[in-house]
Amino acid sequence: MEDTKKGISSRQGGIDRRSLLKIGAGAAGAALLPAVPGMALAADKYPALANYPAGISGDSVFVGLTLDLTGPYSAEGADERKGYELAAEQLNAGAAEVKKISPLTKKGILGKTLKLGVIDAQTKPNSAVQAATRFIHEDKAMMISGSVSSAVAIALQKVCNREKTLYLAAISGSNETTGVDCQRYGFRLCYFAYMAAKAISPVLAKSLGKNRKAVYLVPDYTYGHTTYDSMKEFTEKEGWTTVGQQVHPLGAKDYSSYLINIANSGADTLVVIDYGADAANSVKQAKQFGILDKMKLVVPYMSPFLGEEVGAEVMQGVYGSMGFWWTLQDKYPIAKDFVTAFEKKFNQKPHDSAYIAYLNTVLWADAIERAGTFYAPEVIKALEKGVKRQGPVGDVWFRGEDHQGVINFPIVRGKKPADMKNKADLFEIVDVINGADYLPKLGLMGCKMGPA
């Protein structure tokens, strides 16, 4: 089925219907952007490896997106899809906006049309791995991308490493993604728990005071645990005391038992490490329990969707870090390009999930152009060289030693409703963090990279 207005084709592709993204009027399958004329690459010196050269034998190249479109991170997953679509559209057209980030781009990637396939990973590692495996074996994918859950991201980069297929995580906040679980074929562009905690802790101490008692609400998986560890480390360096943590399952609906313990903890600050729908549900229930009338709320790793879900009254004065906030367009011209193009295409402001998806895709394409080939080991070398590109919020690149992105990001604070210029104006930017200054020292997170 094809929606010619959106340029989207849908196919079954052998994937269980439950795991497919539903597009338009209920169709399910892979989202394919409009084609531009491709050109065959001349034969080069590299041997066959995974889907090379079979995956580039025609005039297009396929990327498989395993996005968390259902489950607690579904809003972020849907936003990522829009970022990927915008990047593919601009790359295929050789748009001026994308050339500012990837100056070697012409039309397509090495002249080939980029096509995207989208499958719902359901915020489950097993579903994501099954989807990625099918993309690699059935669609000859040359790259896999997507994730909100770090458990999903870690599982995907392991299977892609085994399959010798590049994987670029979208959102993944765990320290372990480019730490002990780093993989030669895996790259993470976005900032993560250690960087967020190191950046926000001095801001919290200056704004809220140095002698606070913090209690944490923690989702029970790698992102939650490593974020708790990093926040505890850096806030205690600023003089805070940790009085406890309440650990709950990912996707919990009822937080009452955890919130009762929090209310009785003696804390004056509630740090919600939850993300996505978990953050919205837990914050709403904390408000209903009266906890937010007695404790300051901090959300150190914050999704922009949280403000929209719980409202400005609850979020005013709440500090957090974000991957991107749309008012950065007032300071950075390339951020303005991105926000303008996104609004034109989707009639809404982009969030950090779309931003990371967009930038990931463009930087992958740029590495291929620099390498002059789709052969994965050479693309990896190009990414590992640490060539700086001008991103929407300053220079961006990857560290070769652990494949962690070096990227700037804002610290934000929820606005008072009276100060909002419009309903999208939920946060003010307190500071823009220079990512290079907040990365962990090499080796600290335990990364030991295998060969390509």
Side-chain angles (χ1 to χ4, degrees):
M1 175 177 182
E2 184 164 350
D3 182 336
T4 55
K5 183 178 180 181
K6 293 184 178 180
I8 294 174
S9 297
S10 301
R11 58 150 173 79
Q12 182 63 26
I15 308 295
D16 189 321
R17 289 185 182 273
R18 291 175 302 143
S19 66
L20 286 168
L21 166 64
K22 294 186 177 180
I23 303 170
L32 306 181
L33 295 182
V36 297
M39 58 186 238
L41 292 179
D44 58 33
K45 59 186 179 182
Y46 303 109
L49 179 71
N51 285 328
Y52 181 88
I56 56 167
S57 59
D59 60 2
S60 65
V61 60
F62 184 88
V63 166
L65 306 176
T66 62
L67 306 181
D68 296 338
L69 298 166
T70 55
Y73 298 157
S74 58
E76 290 78 12
D79 194 55
E80 286 174 0
R81 177 176 178 264
K82 294 173 182 177
Y84 289 116
E85 283 192 10
L86 180 61
E89 182 179 279
Q90 290 186 350
L91 286 165
N92 286 341
E97 296 93 336
V98 83
K99 288 182 178 181
K100 293 180 182 179
I101 304 170
S102 177
L104 298 177
T105 291
K106 295 179 181 178
K107 278 194 174 183
I109 306 174
L110 292 182
K112 292 188 178 289
T113 305
L114 174 57
K115 295 185 177 182
L116 305 176
V118 182
I119 295 177
D120 182 11
Q122 304 171 318
T123 320
K124 296 178 181 177
N126 287 343
S127 296
V129 166
Q130 290 172 14
T133 302
R134 291 184 180 186
F135 274 143
I136 292 167
H137 291 286
E138 296 179 8
D139 297 289
K140 306 302 179 187
M142 297 300 293
M143 192 264 277
I144 301 294
S145 193
S147 68
V148 182
S149 161
S150 290
V152 167
I154 289 169
L156 282 170
Q157 69 176 10
K158 286 181 178 178
V159 72
C160 287
N161 200 67
R162 187 186 70 214
E163 297 285 351
K164 305 300 181 186
T165 300
L166 274 162
Y167 171 68
L168 274 72
I171 294 175
S172 175
S174 172
N175 292 343
E176 296 177 347
T177 308
T178 49
V180 296
D181 287 312
C182 70
Q183 304 290 331
R184 181 64 67 180
Y185 279 75
F187 290 81
R188 173 174 59 185
L189 179 59
C190 68
Y191 80 119
F192 62 103
Y194 179 96
M195 297 174 72
K198 185 176 180 180
I200 201 171
S201 293
V203 175
L204 295 175
K206 181 179 179 181
S207 302
L208 303 182
K210 286 184 170 289
N211 299 311
R212 302 197 70 87
K213 298 177 182 178
V215 62
Y216 291 79
L217 191 58
V218 181
D220 190 11
Y221 77 112
T222 179
Y223 156 72
H225 296 303
T226 62
T227 305
Y228 168 75
D229 290 343
S230 290
M231 282 297 294
K232 183 176 184 293
E233 174 187 353
F234 287 108
T235 56
E236 289 182 356
K237 286 180 179 179
E238 297 292 337
W240 285 28
T241 300
T242 304
V243 300
Q245 61 170 320
Q246 290 294 304
V247 179
H248 65 81
L250 179 65
K253 304 297 182 185
D254 182 3
Y255 293 84
S256 56
S257 61
Y258 313 109
L259 292 172
I260 289 170
N261 291 334
I262 285 170
N264 294 324
S265 67
D268 54 27
T269 306
L270 170 59
V271 182
V272 173
I273 292 176
D274 292 330
Y275 196 76
D278 280 7
N281 290 334
S282 60
V283 169
K284 285 179 181 178
Q285 290 177 40
K287 179 64 175 177
Q288 292 167 359
F289 271 63
I291 290 173
L292 302 187
D293 298 327
K294 300 175 182 178
M295 297 185 189
K296 288 287 188 181
L297 173 63
V298 173
V299 186
Y301 204 93
M302 187 187 295
S303 167
F305 288 101
L306 178 61
E308 297 170 0
E309 181 68 23
V310 304
E313 290 285 352
V314 174
M315 293 304 295
Q316 63 178 314
V318 176
Y319 286 86
S321 64
M322 281 186 187
F324 181 81
W325 183 243
W326 64 270
T327 60
L328 287 165
Q329 68 176 341
D330 298 335
K331 183 177 180 180
Y332 298 93
I334 296 181
K336 185 175 179 62
D337 289 343
F338 170 66
V339 173
T340 300
F342 192 93
E343 281 192 288
K344 182 178 179 180
K345 183 172 179 61
F346 298 108
N347 195 33
Q348 64 185 86
K349 304 290 187 187
H351 290 337
D352 55 358
S353 34
Y355 162 77
I356 288 295
Y358 172 88
L359 193 52
N360 254 335
T361 310
V362 176
L363 292 176
W364 171 71
D366 177 72
I368 292 168
E369 296 285 355
R370 287 190 285 111
T373 178
F374 285 93
Y375 184 63
E378 293 301 312
V379 179
I380 290 171
K381 288 179 184 178
L383 289 166
E384 289 178 340
K385 284 181 179 178
V387 173
K388 294 182 180 179
R389 289 306 194 201
Q390 190 177 5
V393 191
D395 288 343
V396 61
W397 70 99
F398 289 95
R399 289 203 303 196
E401 295 84 355
D402 60 1
H403 294 184
Q404 174 57 47
V406 185
I407 192 168
N408 302 335
F409 59 95
I411 302 296
V412 300
R413 178 175 56 219
K415 281 190 170 185
K416 296 178 181 179
D419 294 337
M420 293 171 58
K421 297 177 182 178
N422 53 61
K423 66 178 183 179
D425 189 28
L426 286 162
F427 297 98
E428 59 183 325
I429 295 173
V430 176
D431 194 10
V432 178
I433 298 302
N434 182 353
D437 295 336
Y438 290 83
L439 287 168
K441 292 181 180 179
L442 289 172
L444 181 64
M445 296 297 167
C447 175
K448 295 181 179 179
M449 200 77 71

